[in-house]
Amino acid sequence: IRSMRKIYDRRRLALIKALRHYLGQRVNMSAESAGLHLMVEIDHNLGDDELLSRARQEGVPILSTRQYYIGEGRPGEFLIPFARLNEQEIDFYIKRLAAGVEGTA
């Protein structure tokens, strides 16, 4: 268990680093624990469904949090899983996500 915790900690840190690098001020990360996911708010002009569609086309693993709310949910709020991705894959997918947010994917 201890070795897996170290692996997941490295992956979580790699995700945070990639989000800061590629999305900068456009992303806010929750301090709340979301298990093997990171909860983020992404400032974008696409609409959540369009962002998710672009992410899906690029193979980026990202989920809307809307399904977890009664009612509307929070626009721009997503869960990004990191458990099954290595650090290089995390960087690659977050770079693709940022390109999609910017509309250049």
Side-chain angles (χ1 to χ4, degrees), residues 85-103:
L85 302 173
N86 65 43
E87 289 87 352
Q88 293 79 25
E89 291 170 323
I90 289 169
D91 189 77
F92 173 80
Y93 285 124
I94 298 306
K95 183 177 182 179
R96 298 306 310 145
L97 176 64
V101 167
E102 297 298 328

Side-chain angles (χ1 to χ4, degrees), residues 56-73:
R56 198 170 23 259
Q57 288 173 357
E58 295 295 330
V60 177
I62 186 170
L63 309 163
S64 172
T65 61
R66 286 182 292 193
Q67 63 190 352
Y68 302 108
Y69 286 94
I70 297 173
E72 291 295 314

Side-chain angles (χ1 to χ4, degrees), residues 7-37:
I7 290 169
Y8 294 144
D9 285 345
R10 279 196 319 268
R11 291 176 182 176
R12 184 175 188 277
L13 290 173
L15 178 57
I16 291 168
K17 180 180 174 184
L19 286 165
R20 285 184 180 148
H21 178 76
Y22 293 114
L23 288 168
Q25 297 297 318
R26 297 186 77 141
V27 66
N28 290 315
M29 291 165 264
S30 175
E32 299 288 322
S33 175
L36 299 176
H37 296 74

